[in-house]
């Protein structure tokens, strides 16, 4: 009686494809050796592949570190008038750096001196604190309030949706800067009121973003299943629907902070935020607005700081949009 032949073994009794079998080894399954998918790792990988996001993040990191370590980086007290404290100081004197050939007999000021005998470099450094803090706080306020309005309008629907969205349309009907000036004028000139004004005029943007996300996810199968299992409406909103709104909120918020920095500079430039002595880039430009040709450094320095800040947030926002949008990922 003949022995049964094993199709996976060669005539010599060795496994097919094994050493000495004379047959090629079976190809390894590429899926078996692939790394498991990881949402955070893949997302960070997409972000790091966006050159604009990397450049924006680097510029923003430098600005944030400058704001945090402003007392260490600044060479002078930003509010101190140096007349009578330094020998040979001149009003609106140009930049003087001894290492670059400026005479040692002149006091050193990296970006020069303004019309009140204050060091421009120190005021620009401390101005990063004011501008970035107001930008983050104003957009954070707008995101929180706008998200609440958008969630309620999109999930409840009906007349509630109509009332809330028409209110948002009324706010959007006004030019944002003019509406912010009106709010600050009515509430009283101060940086806090300017912060609230910028946040209020930005609320409709985030309310509409969240509402659109809620409307698109409200009838999804996983939401219907959660509702059938008895999950509360708040639980569905917070655990099922809102995670889908995080990506557009992050992108819009990143772009919005740059706009908020520009708006606070505009508000301080027109003088509706109270004292102009607070180191803030817009106030620095406002005080010296007539000196563009006589002493351009006192205007160009804070203007360049505003430009870099807005550019950093715009580059970061564009990079995040490209990295987080599944329709743009390949």
């Amino acid at each position: 009686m003949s022995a049964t032949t094993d199709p996976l073994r060669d005539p010599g009794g060795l496994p097919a494809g094994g050493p000495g079998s004379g047959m090629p080894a079976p190809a390894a399954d590429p899926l078996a050796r692939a790394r498991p998918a990881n949402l955070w790792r893949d997302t960070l990988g997409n972000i790091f592949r966006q050159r604009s996001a990397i450049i924006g993040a680097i510029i923003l990191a430098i600005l944030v570190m400058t704001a945090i370590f402003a007392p260490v980086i600044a060479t002078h007290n930003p509010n101190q008038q140096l007349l009578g404290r330094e020998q040979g100081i001149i009003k609106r004197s140009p930049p003087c750096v001894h290492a670059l050939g400026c005479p040692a007999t002149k006091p050193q000021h990296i970006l020069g001196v303004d019309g009140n005998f204050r060091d421009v470099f120190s005021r620009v450094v401390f101005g990063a604190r004011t501008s970035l803090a107001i930008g983050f706080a104003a957009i954070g306020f707008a995101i929180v309030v706008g998200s609440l309005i958008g969630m309620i309008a999109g999930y409840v629907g009906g007349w509630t949706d109509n009332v809330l969205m028409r209110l948002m349309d009324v706010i959007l009907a006004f030019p944002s800067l003019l509406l912010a000036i009106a709010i600050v004028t009515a509430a009283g000139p101060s940086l806090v009121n300017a912060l609230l004004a910028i946040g209020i005029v930005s609320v409709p943007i985030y309310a509409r973003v969240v509402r659109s996300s809620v409307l698109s996810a409200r009838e999804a199968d996983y939401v219907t299943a959660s509702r059938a299992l008895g999950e509360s409406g708040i639980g569905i909103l917070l655990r099922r629907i809102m995670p889908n709104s995080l990506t557009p909120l992050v992108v819009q918020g990143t772009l919005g902070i740059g706009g908020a920095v520009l708006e606070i500079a505009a508000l301080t430039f027109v003088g509706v935020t109270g004292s102009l002595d607070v180191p803030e880039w817009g106030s620095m430009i406002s005080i010296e607005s007539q000196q563009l040709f006589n002493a351009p450094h006192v205007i160009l320095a804070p203007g360049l700081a505003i430009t870099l800040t807005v550019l950093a947030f715009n580059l970061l926002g564009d990079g995040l949009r490209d990295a987080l949008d599944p329709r743009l990922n390949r």
Side-chain angles (χ1 to χ4, degrees):
M1 186 174 179
S2 61
T4 304
T5 302
D6 187 352
L8 297 180
R9 306 180 74 88
D10 63 8
L14 297 175
S21 65
M23 298 177 62
D29 185 1
L31 296 178
R33 298 196 302 178
R35 290 193 302 174
N38 183 284
L39 178 60
W40 290 105
R41 186 186 64 225
D42 296 342
T43 301
L44 290 176
N46 291 335
I47 293 174
F48 287 139
R49 283 194 292 269
Q50 302 297 326
R51 185 174 300 176
S52 61
I54 295 176
I55 296 175
I58 291 174
I59 299 175
L60 181 59
I62 295 174
L63 292 171
V64 171
M65 296 301 291
T66 300
I68 294 175
F69 297 102
V72 179
I73 298 174
T75 57
H76 298 77
N77 186 327
N79 295 319
Q80 186 179 58
Q81 294 187 0
L82 301 175
L83 182 64
R85 297 176 180 271
E86 292 185 358
Q87 294 291 334
I89 190 170
I90 303 175
K91 179 187 294 187
R92 300 189 183 93
S93 61
C96 175
V97 182
H98 294 161
L100 298 180
C102 181
T105 56
K106 294 183 178 181
Q108 177 171 266
H109 294 282
I110 298 176
L111 295 178
V113 179
D114 66 6
N116 291 317
F117 299 95
R118 296 175 297 193
D119 184 71
V120 175
F121 174 76
S122 299
R123 291 183 63 79
V124 169
V125 169
F126 274 89
R129 282 187 166 186
T130 305
S131 298
L132 291 179
I134 291 178
F136 280 109
I139 298 305
F141 170 82
I143 288 176
V144 172
V145 177
S147 296
L148 290 175
I149 294 175
M151 284 193 299
I152 295 172
Y155 191 76
V156 176
W159 66 268
T160 303
D161 182 18
N162 289 330
V163 170
L164 292 176
M165 286 300 102
R166 297 299 77 76
L167 179 61
M168 297 297 101
D169 290 341
V170 170
I171 297 177
L172 287 174
F174 294 92
S176 59
L177 185 59
L178 292 180
L179 182 58
I181 292 175
I183 294 174
V184 176
T185 303
S190 71
L191 285 175
V192 175
N193 290 336
L195 182 156
L196 293 176
I198 294 173
I200 290 172
V201 300
S202 302
V203 164
I205 299 174
Y206 302 96
R208 292 165 73 95
V209 168
V210 173
R211 176 180 176 270
S212 64
S213 299
V214 172
L215 288 177
S216 62
R218 186 175 60 180
E219 304 301 330
D221 293 339
Y222 61 89
V223 174
T224 304
S226 299
R227 191 180 295 115
L229 292 173
E231 189 168 5
S232 64
I234 296 178
I236 292 175
L237 274 174
L238 297 180
R239 289 193 291 269
R240 311 300 177 193
I241 296 179
M242 276 308 294
N244 294 314
S245 304
L246 293 180
T247 295
L249 274 179
V250 168
V251 174
Q252 186 61 49
T254 305
L255 295 171
I257 295 175
V261 170
L262 197 59
E263 288 178 357
I264 189 62
L267 290 177
T268 52
F269 179 82
V270 298
V272 298
T273 58
S275 175
L276 295 179
D277 292 332
V278 178
E280 199 279 329
W281 297 330
S283 66
M284 295 176 64
I285 297 176
S286 176
I287 294 173
E288 305 290 349
S289 59
Q290 304 299 321
Q291 305 298 325
L292 179 59
F293 298 103
N294 297 328
H297 61 280
V298 296
I299 296 179
L300 295 180
L304 180 61
I306 295 174
T307 302
L308 286 177
T309 303
V310 176
L311 177 64
F313 280 109
N314 286 346
L315 289 176
L316 182 58
D318 288 341
L320 289 176
R321 181 193 59 197
D322 296 341
L324 301 178
D325 192 341
R327 294 170 299 179
L328 300 178
N329 283 328
R330 295 292 183 266

